[in-house]
Amino acid sequence: TGGDDATLKLETAGSGFRDFTRVAQGSPEMWRDIFVANRDAMLTELASLRQVMDRAEHALREHDAVWLEEMLARAAQARADWPGNLK
């Protein structure tokens, strides 16, 4: 957590946030080992995530609602296409 209002943010987060952050319940040592064992893949994914986050920040600053909607539509489609998804 971070920031002065971190407690408030956690208190007001919806149930989806709990599901999204369930990995944090796991053993820090286990996840450390997984991250270290997959170092190159993790670095690649972190760089990709940083690019998307930077682009999302730019879209918000520039009021680029079209890009935001397209990004959210792609995310929704990726979730719908997830293997094993119940339809």
Side-chain angles (χ1 to χ4, degrees), residues 10-56:
L10 288 173
E11 288 174 355
T12 58
S15 60
F17 184 75
R18 181 179 306 278
D19 293 338
F20 182 72
T21 59
R22 72 177 173 78
V23 168
Q25 284 182 292
S27 159
E29 295 83 5
M30 177 190 70
W31 283 108
R32 176 207 57 217
D33 292 348
I34 290 170
F35 278 43
V36 170
N38 295 285
R39 178 182 179 273
D40 291 341
M42 289 297 301
L43 289 171
T44 298
E45 292 303 317
L46 286 169
S48 295
L49 177 59
R50 187 174 296 108
Q51 287 178 345
V52 171
M53 298 298 286
D54 287 347
R55 182 60 183 94

